[in-house]
Amino acid sequence: MAAIGSVAELWRYPASSLAGERLEAIAVGTDSIEGDRMFGLVDVSDNEIARPDRDAKWHKVPRIRTRLNHDRELEIAIPGGDWLSAPGPECDRAVSNYLGFAASIRPFGRENAPPAYAGPLTQARYKKAPIHLLTTASLARLKALHPDGAADPRRFRPNIVVDMAPVDGSFPETEWIGRKLAIGDLVLTISEPCRRCGFTIIAQDGFDNDPGILRNLVRYNAHNLGVYCTVDKPGRVDIGAPMRFVAA
């Protein structure tokens, strides 16, 4: 079947709620992207995990940059700061000073911890699906509905952004539930739409706080943008890889 689009952006999120890491290629297993959502950020006072969608005290968290080094160890950088190894006391001090309260980056389970780490762990809040896919066609539809807003992919935290022609009056991937896609070597089943929360309105570097983003998704696409996918065949995905439908 002919390609309907090609991969424009690839993202993983080494630490939940913190900024993502843009990549040229990703390795996708049955359950996750390699290096995705290995760490969480907690309030030390009560071990509450960061919830930017629900509590304003976390609204600056998406501005904290993340990356994994060649040894798959986490590094973070607060705005205006240098890269720091995480988890650890120095990075926790920097994050706490930035947020204005005591906070700590902790692994989701001992298997995600660096070899020398012996500190506390935290539990992942939830893991909806291995892959979150978003098309530029849906971003274009949102922009058409909300011309003054920034329909930036970073608002929505996708793993794969597919470039495809706009579909007039449609958020196209929302209509693909149950269909199978091949992207490079990877084969996915689109399992459900991605229901959006207050995270989408929060300001990040390059765009402002904007409640109109979520209002338009609620009004015109039943709260949704993008889709969650399960993995039928693991594989590597590179920028530029074609996407096509495959038979069930």
Side-chain angles (χ1 to χ4, degrees):
M1 186 174 290
I4 57 173
S6 62
V7 174
E9 297 180 18
L10 293 168
W11 293 86
R12 70 179 170 196
Y13 304 89
S16 290
S17 296
L18 279 65
E21 180 182 19
R22 191 169 176 176
L23 302 170
E24 292 298 310
I26 57 173
V28 183
T30 302
D31 299 319
S32 180
I33 291 172
E34 182 179 324
D36 199 47
R37 292 176 171 85
M38 298 170 64
F39 298 87
L41 177 65
V42 302
D43 182 331
V44 170
S45 69
D46 57 9
N47 292 321
E48 174 199 26
I49 197 163
R51 290 293 303 264
D53 58 323
R54 293 192 177 180
D55 194 330
K57 76 178 185 181
W58 299 113
H59 277 189
K60 299 194 315 186
V61 168
R63 296 181 185 268
I64 302 173
R65 293 180 292 157
T66 66
R67 68 185 185 189
L68 297 181
N69 63 25
H70 293 302
D71 295 322
R72 296 186 74 244
E73 296 170 336
L74 178 65
E75 297 176 334
I76 67 102
I78 64 169
D82 296 327
W83 288 102
L84 301 170
S85 295
E90 185 179 8
C91 99
D92 283 356
R93 282 194 296 272
V95 171
S96 298
N97 289 337
Y98 175 62
L99 295 178
F101 59 90
S104 177
I105 291 176
R106 299 175 181 175
F108 289 142
R110 187 63 59 187
E111 67 278 5
N112 291 329
Y117 180 78
L121 308 175
T122 191
Q123 295 294 318
R125 179 160 55 90
Y126 69 92
K127 187 171 181 63
K128 191 71 174 180
I131 292 290
H132 171 209
L133 182 143
L134 178 62
T135 70
T136 60
S138 283
L139 292 173
R141 172 62 175 153
L142 176 58
K143 183 66 174 177
L145 293 168
H146 185 40
D148 294 333
D152 191 298
R154 290 175 295 159
R155 288 193 184 277
F156 310 107
R157 301 176 73 80
N159 299 116
I160 300 175
V161 179
V162 173
D163 183 31
M164 63 175 288
V167 179
D168 188 42
S170 175
F171 296 90
E173 64 268 33
T174 308
E175 302 168 7
W176 299 344
I177 307 304
R179 301 194 70 173
K180 292 184 182 294
L181 295 171
I183 307 174
D185 298 329
L186 180 68
V187 180
L188 305 170
T189 295
I190 300 174
S191 56
E192 59 183 295
C194 185
R195 184 175 175 84
R196 292 303 170 180
C197 66
F199 193 107
T200 62
I201 75 175
I202 297 171
Q204 296 184 46
D205 290 337
F207 54 83
D208 296 328
N209 193 73
D210 185 359
I213 293 287
L214 188 56
R215 281 200 298 265
N216 278 280
L217 293 177
V218 170
R219 181 176 182 182
Y220 293 104
N221 202 36
H223 242 115
N224 302 314
L225 188 74
V227 287
Y228 290 120
C229 306
T230 57
V231 178
D232 298 317
K233 179 187 174 186
R236 173 186 167 104
V237 179
D238 294 88
I239 293 292
M243 182 181 77
R244 66 186 190 280
F245 291 120
V246 295

